[in-house]
Amino acid sequence: MTKPDRSKMTARSGNAPSASDAIAEAQRLHAFLTPTVEAANLYLEDVKVHFAGAHRTVSIIVDLPEDEPGGVGLDAISSISRELSDAMDTDPNDDGSAYDLEISSPGATRPLTEPRHWRRALGRMAKVNASDRENFMGRILAVEDDGVLFRPELPVKKGMKAKQGEPEKILFTVIRRGVVELEFARLDEAELDLEFEPTSGNAVDGEGN
């Protein structure tokens, strides 16, 4: 069965794909590609689709499972890039038009917006803005159903050794923003990845030619 050509469909309708089309396509691809990512022992964090006429850019973020420490290495990114490209080339619901495929890991500085993000950051230092405080600094000790347990980093005068307070829990309901604070002694190669950094050979034909 010949797949429909998006460029011809767009020309006939006179309308370029809309923002809602991009969201729908991203959701479809998320469901379709999740088994491929999980088979590689990774987690499909996000899929975004951008249309430029008949052309798509598909940006995918993969992460490690939440119970594994560290970040996604470059070898793993390269391997899953090939597997996702193969999967998209055999997608039975794809229209066959060309696409750019960009694969990346979240990076250490992504906002902590979900409980799994906090669990992935277990043991790290984080800065939190909450409804009852600003710029709270603390090390993540545990992530519970309703919030995060921290060991606070107490403010001290410049040049003095940092001091730690007693463990304190902040509820998810009051956290407005959280982000990992980079500790350069702990940085590794995976943490320095940029979001949506294109992989090599990213201009591919949806028919797999």
Side-chain angles (χ1 to χ4, degrees):
M1 179 178 175
T2 303
K3 297 179 182 179
D5 188 322
R6 179 180 292 117
S7 61
K8 294 179 181 178
M9 293 172 63
T10 300
R12 285 198 298 268
S13 66
N15 295 318
S18 65
S20 60
D21 292 330
I23 293 173
E25 176 71 351
Q27 292 172 340
R28 186 190 73 79
L29 286 173
H30 194 291
F32 175 70
L33 297 174
T34 290
T36 299
V37 175
E38 291 180 345
N41 196 35
L42 296 170
Y43 177 84
L44 183 51
E45 179 79 22
D46 196 17
V47 177
K48 287 184 171 63
V49 175
H50 174 73
F51 288 112
H55 194 87
R56 285 172 297 169
T57 297
V58 180
S59 300
I60 297 175
I61 298 180
V62 295
D63 197 5
L64 292 178
E66 63 182 50
D67 58 350
E68 292 194 21
V72 184
L74 296 180
D75 288 344
I77 291 289
S78 178
S79 177
I80 195 61
S81 297
R82 292 190 295 270
E83 294 176 28
L84 289 172
S85 180
D86 290 344
M88 289 188 63
D89 287 344
T90 58
D91 180 359
N93 294 312
D94 187 78
D95 67 9
S97 59
Y99 60 87
D100 287 343
L101 182 60
E102 301 177 355
I103 314 294
S104 69
S105 63
T109 58
R110 61 131 173 242
L112 306 174
T113 60
E114 302 176 15
R116 74 170 307 274
H117 296 162
W118 290 98
R119 286 190 284 269
R120 288 283 293 121
L122 193 64
R124 305 299 298 267
M125 186 69 68
K127 178 185 288 186
V128 177
N129 288 333
S131 59
D132 59 348
R133 71 191 77 192
E134 296 288 334
N135 299 323
F136 171 88
M137 292 283 293
R139 193 168 299 282
I140 302 170
L141 299 179
V143 181
E144 302 174 359
D145 291 341
D146 58 348
V148 183
L149 184 67
F150 296 91
R151 184 173 297 281
E153 189 91 344
L154 302 178
V156 296
K157 293 182 179 179
K158 186 175 181 180
M160 294 183 62
K161 185 178 179 180
K163 294 183 179 180
Q164 297 179 333
E166 294 299 314
E168 183 176 349
K169 183 175 180 179
I170 301 181
L171 300 178
F172 287 126
T173 54
V174 303
I175 294 177
R176 297 200 308 267
R177 176 177 171 80
V179 64
V180 166
E181 284 291 292
L182 295 182
E183 300 174 86
F184 289 99
R186 299 185 58 162
L187 285 179
D188 59 28
E189 187 179 52
E191 291 179 329
L192 295 175
D193 287 346
L194 297 176
E195 287 191 1
F196 296 151
E197 182 178 356
T199 55
S200 60
N202 62 320
V204 291
D205 188 330
E207 289 285 350
N209 293 333

